[in-house]
Amino acid sequence: MSSVPLVSIGLPVYNGMPHLRGAIECLLKQSYANFEIVISDNASDDGTSEYCRALAQVYPRVRYARNETNLGPLENFRLVLEHASGEYFMWASDDDRWNERFVSGLVERLAAQGEAVLATPTVIHIREDGRLCSEPPDRSATGESQRANLELLFHDHAASWIYGVWRTAWLRRHFAEYCAFPYWGADVLWLADICLGWPVVGDQDAVIFKRLRRSGFRPKTARATLFFWCYMLWHLTRIGIRRTTQFRERVEVLALSWAYVYRVGIRRPHLLRTVWRVVRMISIAAITGLPLAVAWAARRLARVLLPARAL
């Protein structure tokens, strides 16, 4: 029996071929001595099931389960955590890559600081075809202070920290907090809350190569985009107020949060383009939302008039 703690690697997948094969091979090459791979297949129909079943027969450390129907990404995300056996846990996407010391480096950082709940990696972004993106990497958390971690999260837009290594028991107790946020943007909101509430560490030599792809959950209209950045601003403000006690600290955290929303969601290279973007988004949102407002007003009016006519 291994003397090092078991690490559970949770891999939720739906139609992951052909990238899944490379991801699994990369995980099996980890230098860490004691880990399991927990695969939850969300009713794939592209050969993922056959590949994973064969893999589990060859490698005892691979455990495979298949959902009868597609339960959605969030529930599949939760299932791999539920099935994990290890003291430490990490999520793995079916199309990412990791260097060989990814697990060992992050586990060492967690073990060295007993109060830390998450160890974060360096995130290098790659394109759909595997080529490196031109944007700079997301740096790992410094662990110097809660404020320093929050600044780095916002500066690098390091949403992929969520794919670091966690303490499993803590993660199970707090995963409902992630689920309470709107799905698109929940990673940044939850990480901001964690950075202000618990110690977070990092290892710059633990590297994940994160494949960038367009999500079907991102806002598709001007109205949806406007609502998205409004609720991001709202939730980040609530987090900043809840997690701070001193007035000066609260002001600084709120300034960081609001600046992040402005920089990522609103700002453009030139002031005029920024102003035009705000005006255009608000105008389109107002126009497209007009039918909904009229329908809402009509329903309210009907509730008032119909009972009166019945009398």
Side-chain angles (χ1 to χ4, degrees):
M1 184 175 181
S2 177
S3 60
V4 297
L6 176 65
V7 175
S8 295
I9 301 175
L11 200 160
V13 61
Y14 171 68
N15 286 353
M17 307 303 285
H19 296 308
L20 176 62
R21 190 183 302 274
I24 292 290
E25 291 175 355
C26 192
L27 290 172
L28 289 173
K29 293 179 180 177
Q30 288 296 304
S31 61
Y32 194 76
N34 190 22
F35 69 89
E36 63 175 0
I37 300 176
V38 181
I39 303 174
S40 180
D41 179 4
N42 223 355
S44 297
D45 57 9
D46 68 337
T48 292
S49 177
E50 292 77 7
Y51 169 71
C52 291
R53 291 183 193 278
L55 193 73
Q57 292 179 350
V58 175
Y59 296 96
R61 65 175 60 193
V62 176
R63 294 196 284 125
Y64 171 73
R66 175 181 169 85
N67 303 323
E68 292 299 323
T69 58
N70 191 316
L71 304 177
L74 184 58
E75 178 62 14
N76 211 29
F77 215 61
R78 185 192 66 80
L79 280 176
V80 289
L81 174 60
E82 180 181 303
H83 296 155
S85 304
E87 179 179 343
Y88 299 108
F89 177 85
M90 61 172 273
W91 280 292
S93 290
D94 57 51
D95 59 353
D96 291 340
R97 301 291 184 270
W98 304 260
N99 67 345
E100 291 187 6
R101 70 173 311 275
F102 183 89
V103 175
S104 61
L106 295 183
V107 169
E108 287 173 9
R109 292 293 292 126
L110 276 181
Q113 186 165 338
E115 296 181 352
V117 301
L118 168 65
T120 64
T122 296
V123 184
I124 296 178
H125 302 285
I126 58 177
R127 302 181 188 277
E128 184 67 27
D129 59 5
R131 292 182 297 121
L132 292 177
C133 293
S134 58
E135 61 184 89
D138 300 342
R139 293 163 290 178
S140 60
T142 64
E144 294 176 1
S145 67
Q146 295 173 331
R147 166 74 180 275
N149 286 337
L150 185 69
E151 285 189 43
L152 196 54
L153 169 69
F154 286 157
H155 184 276
D156 289 6
H157 186 55
S160 294
W161 278 0
I162 201 171
Y163 291 96
V165 172
W166 305 78
R167 295 189 189 277
T168 307
W170 183 95
L171 186 58
R172 283 180 172 148
R173 290 195 303 270
H174 293 271
F175 183 65
E177 297 165 10
Y178 173 80
C179 300
F181 291 119
Y183 185 77
W184 182 254
D187 42 14
V188 171
L189 294 173
W190 193 37
L191 286 167
D193 192 34
I194 292 170
C195 284
L196 288 174
W198 290 271
V200 175
V201 295
D203 180 359
Q204 65 178 359
D205 294 324
V207 180
I208 179 175
F209 296 88
K210 193 75 183 154
R211 197 178 302 269
L212 294 180
R213 51 184 177 179
R214 294 186 68 85
S215 170
F217 296 95
R218 66 185 302 152
K220 298 179 177 61
T221 65
R223 184 161 60 90
T225 301
L226 181 63
F227 287 169
F228 165 68
W229 287 113
C230 284
Y231 78 63
M232 288 292 288
L233 186 64
W234 166 252
H235 284 295
L236 287 172
T237 300
R238 289 184 63 196
I239 290 168
I241 293 174
R242 187 175 73 251
R243 291 295 182 190
T244 55
T245 55
Q246 301 298 322
F247 177 77
R248 180 174 179 178
E249 178 191 19
R250 180 170 295 171
V251 169
E252 292 174 347
V253 167
L254 291 179
L256 281 173
S257 302
W258 296 344
Y260 165 75
V261 171
Y262 172 75
R263 177 174 57 84
V264 177
I266 301 172
R267 189 184 69 182
R268 288 299 178 265
H270 304 290
L271 179 61
L272 289 178
R273 290 183 61 186
T274 300
V275 173
W276 169 242
R277 174 175 170 79
V278 172
V279 171
R280 181 172 61 87
M281 287 177 61
I282 293 176
S283 301
I284 294 175
I287 293 171
T288 57
L290 185 60
L292 295 177
V294 171
W296 177 84
R299 288 195 299 269
R300 297 284 294 183
L301 186 61
R303 290 173 186 171
V304 173
L305 296 180
L306 290 179
R309 289 183 179 179
L311 294 174

